[in-house]
Amino acid sequence: MSEYRYLLIIGIFLWALLGYSAYYESTVPLYAFSAYLIFEALTNLRLTSLLKRFNKPQGTTQYAPKSNHESRLSEIEAGRVFRIIIAALIYASIALLPDLLWFMPWFIAGMLIMAGITNICPMHMFLRWAGLK
Amino acid sequence: MNRKNKLKKNLTGNWNGSIAIKITAVTIWAILVLSFLIITPFISEFEESTLKEFTWQQHQVETAIKKLYTTIPNEKKINKELDKLIKQFDILYIDLFDKNKHFERGISSPDNHPLSSNISAYTLNHQLYIEFPSLRKSINMQRLTIGSAVVGFSVFFSLFLFLLNRKIIHEPFNSIKNLTQRISHGENELRFDTERTDEFGIVSKFLNDMLDTIKQNQAELEIKNRKLTAEIRQREEALAATQQKSNFLANMSHEIRTPLASIIGYSERIRFGKAKDKNDEIRMLNIVLENSKHLLNLINDILDLSKVEANKLNIEKNEFSILKVIEHVRKLLNERALEKNIKFNINYQLPIPEKIINDSIRTKQIIINLASNAIRFTHNGKVEINVTYDAISDLLSICVIDSGIGMNETELQKLFMPFSQANASISPKFGGTGLGLTISKRLAELMHGDITAQSIKGLGSRFTCLIKAGYVSGEKMITELSKKDLEISEYERPVTDIMLSGKLLLIEDTFEIQQLVKSYLEDYGIEIDTANNGEIGLDLALKNNYDLILMDIQMPIMDGREAIQKLRQANYTKPVFALTADAITEHTDEFINLGFTKALTKPIVINDLIKSIKEYIPLSTDCSEKEVITNKSSNIVPHTLANKHASDDLSDLTEKYRKQLPAHIRDLKSLIHDNKLDEALAILHKFKGVGGSLGLPEITETAGIIANYLKNGNLDETYKCLAILEMEYPIVNPQTKTS
């Protein structure tokens, strides 16, 4: 599974969770989702990487070419930072400013779905431009 | 790489989709962001108003219930009014408690919601607990609806937009891309669709214009390139031709000067009486004659080449025996092969047609050229001529094989090029002008054949000449060789000497030629008048009754062209022969058209002259025809033959020669003993020539071998061969010699 197909799946999943949370007035699934993303980012035990390793033992987990931008950040993978940012935004929108940023999870879900469909993710592009690999 | 370029690369590097997807993505991002930015304030305002309305409703309900319990004492009426309130304000249920907080009664709506907000109201006797639907849930559901709608709409809109973009942008782009790819792969005739009126149509039009311009430029460039290439090739060819001609001239200079040196030198010696005796004088004359013939052959080759280059070389078909031609070549070249100690064999693979129809003179010329080359470039070993006939293709194959110096591939490639020999070192070493093979190949082609060459450096060469035999079915084929087939006397001696009776006018400005022709023809009994130019000649011709006029073309005062025209205009009907050094065929035709009866080329060959004039000058009544020896290649000079009526017939000559031979051998031994080798060689030379002329090839061959040994200083072998010659002497007898 490519990283972009994964983004499509977690986008749809987040969308479904938001519906559930709204209907049952429960934010627990969203916290759990954020926690999962943080787990993936910190441990690098990402589902896509695990699947890739399972299918291609010698394959790499990279889904985009290396950046030529030389910096300390170049050793950090954009995919991991991407997950942390998403988790942080979701957490902020449900725990810190729920009335102000209520749309943020919806927006994130929409962007994830779009990134999955188009293979173009502005956040990824930004992170790679910033020097992450 | 600066930051701007890096940004550009990293941003675009991740754009793996088509242009339609990119446009869609960008559009949808914008829509998503804008949607949330636009909707969020409205939602906040809506939620605020909803909260206010909710609070107001609560207040109204509370007030209404209080009023109800205060003003209406009837329980039934109160219940009825409460039902109205529940319906009016969408209240879930209202619980009533008494003053002691004991549940008294409850009124609820049909719907039951697990989450809800509530208010408490108090009356005089009751406490009211009013349950409303959940405000938070209501807001959340509203957000769910809006969020889902925006995201869903964005997704579906993006798909629609993608399809639209694909149709509007991607497909035309893709079409242009595919066409560009095909054009870049060489399909230059393809053009873009210009039916669209949008930017793609305009771009397509520009691209088509660009392709047309490129094609036009390319065509122009190709033409220019072709012209330049042709010019370069012409220049290179011209340079090569110039170089070859320079080399050729250098060779020619050598080839011409060498015999000229001999001619001038020996002529001066004879002229100033430096000859030791009569034999020495004959020897010198022979050398002069041989060198003159060599020069003549050289000039003929050059003329032939000029005809080849002008495509004017023609062949004259006649019926002849190929065996006799080849045997004549054998006779001609055998001596040269013997001088070099080379075996010279001719093999016939029978059957061969007795007569073939082609140009006998040119055939002979080709074979002589190939065979003499083979002998020239062979130092030891052998030269073979293999003759075969292929009945299916009607081609006669004459294959000349030698064990000579051979050639490599490069030398073979330029072998048939005019003015070129296999390499530059050949001419100085071996002689030759490099014209023979070019002429021979062209001649063979004209005779519907070809000449091919194979060679191995150091081992030898093989030249195969194919010519069309022109064999007619039913004609006789030679299946077994007989002496008659190889007899060449008929071929060699076609000319008969005759005594003529007539009067001839020679118009010639060169005194020497006048004297020469006069001396030739007076021997045949012809009375000759001479004139130094056309004007005098014209006058003489009209005043006297000549049987024939021989007229030079280039003369002072009045040239041959003008003179013949005036003669013909004066109704002069007698034959007039042109004597010209111009051997170009078209010029010969021109002379005939001017009014000349025939054109004879210089140098004048007496036999040809006699053959031509005897058709117009009557035979002498007191002289019978007598056969004479006219071997052109022999060492007997024509004028000597012309004087033959001072001697006897051929048998008398043979007898005389037979009688003189022992004395000659003795003289020869004596000269060798006295180390007078030049004189000995002169006698041997005489042996060769006279022997051949009298049909005694054994004498000629042996004399050639002796001469060769003598030149190499091998006296032992010379004496041995002289002994052989003495032993052969009895054979030289008219009664025993049959060949």
Side-chain angles (χ1 to χ4, degrees), chain A residues 4 15 18-19 21-25 64 67-69 98-100 102-103 106-107 110-111 113-114 117-122 124-125 128-129, chain B residues 3 6-7 9-11 14-15 21-22 25 28-29 32-33 36 40 43 115 134 136-137 140-141 143-144 146-148 151-152 154-155 158:
Chain A
Y4 283 101
W15 195 14
L18 285 167
S21 299
Y23 190 81
Y24 292 105
E25 292 189 0
S67 168
N68 290 328
H69 189 56
D99 287 330
L100 189 65
W102 68 267
F103 62 88
W106 292 98
F107 178 73
M111 291 302 280
I113 291 168
M114 290 307 300
I117 292 171
T118 61
N119 280 0
I120 299 165
C121 178
H124 262 301
M125 288 161 66
R128 283 169 47 71
W129 172 77
Chain B
R3 190 169 179 80
K6 279 179 190 170
L7 174 63
K9 187 173 182 219
N10 287 329
L11 284 174
N14 207 31
W15 288 51
I21 290 175
K22 286 168 193 164
I28 295 301
W29 299 340
L32 269 174
V33 172
F36 280 104
T40 306
I43 293 289
L115 296 171
S134 171
R136 172 58 56 191
K137 187 177 178 184
N140 280 347
M141 290 308 287
R143 287 175 180 175
L144 170 65
I146 291 167
S148 299
V151 173
S154 299
V155 170
S158 71

Side-chain angles (χ1 to χ4, degrees), chain B residues 15 42 64 105 145 171-172 192 231 345 427 441 446 559 566 621 630 649:
Chain B
W15 288 51
F42 284 107
R105 56 184 294 201
T145 308
E171 282 183 4
F192 296 95
E231 279 174 15
N345 299 327
S427 184
K441 188 174 175 66
L446 285 170
D559 67 6
K566 288 193 171 173
T621 51
T630 56
D649 60 9

Side-chain angles (χ1 to χ4, degrees), chain B residues 633-667:
Chain B
S633 67
S634 76
N635 295 322
I636 298 174
V637 294
H639 80 268
T640 309
L641 293 171
N643 291 327
K644 61 92 202 134
H645 48 75
S647 66
D648 294 321
D649 60 9
L650 181 64
S651 58
D652 292 338
L653 284 170
T654 310
E655 182 58 24
K656 190 177 175 183
Y657 179 73
R658 190 186 67 81
K659 284 177 182 174
Q660 288 174 351
L661 192 60
H664 286 316
I665 293 171
R666 279 197 301 277
D667 291 345

Side-chain angles (χ1 to χ4, degrees), chain B residues 157 375 454 486 586 651 669:
Chain B
F157 184 68
I375 293 169
Q454 296 161 296
L486 304 176
E586 308 91 78
S651 58
K669 281 183 176 176

Side-chain angles (χ1 to χ4, degrees), chain B residues 337-369:
Chain B
L338 283 169
E339 281 176 4
K340 295 185 78 174
N341 277 335
I342 299 165
K343 286 181 185 172
F344 184 40
N345 299 327
I346 296 173
N347 306 313
Y348 297 101
Q349 192 176 334
L350 302 174
I352 291 170
E354 187 180 12
K355 299 281 182 189
I356 67 169
I357 299 171
N358 220 317
D359 192 324
S360 60
I361 294 170
R362 296 301 189 180
T363 306
K364 187 177 158 190
Q365 185 180 344
I366 292 171
I367 301 168
I368 287 174
N369 181 262

Side-chain angles (χ1 to χ4, degrees), chain B residues 259-297:
Chain B
L260 272 178
S262 298
I263 291 167
I264 294 167
Y266 283 106
S267 299
E268 280 179 344
R269 283 183 69 79
I270 296 165
R271 166 71 180 78
F272 294 112
K274 299 290 183 186
K276 293 171 185 170
D277 51 24
K278 192 71 181 171
N279 284 340
D280 193 31
E281 188 178 326
I282 290 171
R283 182 181 68 84
M284 289 181 189
L285 283 171
N286 282 339
I287 292 168
V288 170
L289 184 66
E290 283 299 320
N291 283 295
S292 305
K293 284 180 178 177
H294 178 74
L295 272 178
L296 181 62
N297 287 335

